[in-house]
Amino acid sequence: MNDKVLRQSIIDALDFDPSIDAARIGVAVDNGIVTLSGHVGSYAEKIAAETLARRIKGVRAIAEEIEVRYPDHKKTADDQIASRAVSVISWDAMVPEGVVKVKVEKGWVTLAGTVDWQFQREAAYRAVRKLSGVLGITNSIEVKARVQIPDVRAKILAALKRDAEFEADGIKVNVIGDKVILDGKIKAWHERQVAERAAWSAAGVRSVEDNLHVA
């Protein structure tokens, strides 16, 4: 797919999604590298645009330059955002109670603390990103390995092969301590996310190095 066709595919996809105001988002493509620019009315809309673009076949990488702009009458004070963030995190059954700390400065939310699993870290992030007034999120929550699994490589490969989205034969998995390294070829850029999710799903994994590339 050439850059012109890829750009139009992304524009069409953004325009089709009712949760995104595509008229305020600019799309540029250079050798499969997509740059998203412009401004949106919420952080959730910004993430939705980026997520949608990632799914388009032919996208090799994304430079995300979208700015979140809230109208003056919709701006939320930092203490209100912090209070709401603490509440939504506490309501999420996947996040252990009391382990996540929240800091808000000029609409930017920083999450800190320690959890046992990557999915708990992601759950805290997802809970906060839809809150009104949020301009951005820094997820500094750390994953603390508690369980050591000798056969972590086999578990990751099994998870990849169970996924119907693509073949896992072209992916090589190496494990060094609590770090997983992914190498090999994939057919589409979004398949990297599938592989990364499988790697993070193994207990004891604290970091993932993704060296996969689109063939």
Side-chain angles (χ1 to χ4, degrees):
M1 184 181 297
N2 62 46
D3 288 346
K4 184 177 180 180
V5 174
L6 179 56
R7 178 177 180 272
Q8 191 58 52
S9 296
I10 295 172
I11 291 173
D12 291 343
L14 291 171
D15 190 54
F16 185 75
D17 192 322
S19 69
I20 299 172
D21 187 350
R24 297 187 296 183
I25 298 177
V27 180
V29 181
D30 182 11
N31 195 28
I33 309 300
V34 178
T35 300
L36 301 177
S37 58
H39 61 91
V40 294
S42 70
Y43 184 72
E45 185 179 354
K46 173 180 177 176
I47 296 302
E50 180 182 348
T51 301
L52 189 152
R54 289 180 184 275
R55 294 174 179 169
I56 304 300
K57 184 178 180 180
V59 173
R60 298 176 58 218
I62 292 180
E64 201 273 279
E65 300 175 357
I66 299 174
E67 181 183 354
V68 179
R69 297 181 186 175
Y70 288 98
D72 288 338
H73 67 282
K74 287 189 176 181
K75 290 183 177 178
T76 308
D78 287 347
D79 59 341
Q80 291 179 305
I81 297 174
S83 178
R84 293 172 183 174
V86 170
S87 295
V88 296
I89 291 174
S90 66
W91 295 335
D92 195 312
M94 289 191 292
V95 183
E97 186 175 356
V99 300
V100 177
K101 307 301 180 184
V102 178
K103 175 185 175 182
V104 183
E105 184 175 357
K106 296 181 179 180
W108 197 280
V109 180
T110 299
L111 303 177
T114 302
V115 294
D116 292 326
W117 296 82
Q118 175 66 12
F119 77 83
Q120 295 170 332
R121 181 177 186 270
E122 294 177 350
Y125 168 76
R126 288 196 303 270
V128 174
R129 72 182 184 186
K130 294 183 179 180
L131 292 177
S132 176
V134 173
L135 295 179
I137 301 174
T138 298
N139 192 350
S140 298
I141 299 173
E142 296 183 358
V143 178
K144 182 179 179 181
R146 187 177 62 180
V147 180
Q148 296 296 325
I149 300 180
D151 202 18
V152 64
R153 181 178 182 276
K155 288 182 176 293
I156 293 172
L157 289 175
L160 289 172
K161 290 179 179 179
R162 285 196 300 269
D163 198 295
E165 291 189 41
F166 69 102
E167 295 292 333
D169 295 337
I171 296 179
K172 298 178 181 178
V173 180
N174 293 311
V175 180
I176 302 176
D178 54 16
K179 179 181 181 179
V180 176
I181 303 173
L182 302 175
D183 290 291
K185 298 179 181 179
I186 51 178
K187 295 180 181 178
W189 194 59
H190 76 276
E191 293 178 354
R192 296 180 66 175
Q193 294 177 302
V194 178
E196 288 179 11
R197 285 199 302 269
W200 279 117
S201 68
V205 174
R206 300 187 66 181
S207 64
V208 175
E209 181 179 321
D210 187 349
N211 298 324
L212 298 172
H213 62 277
V214 180

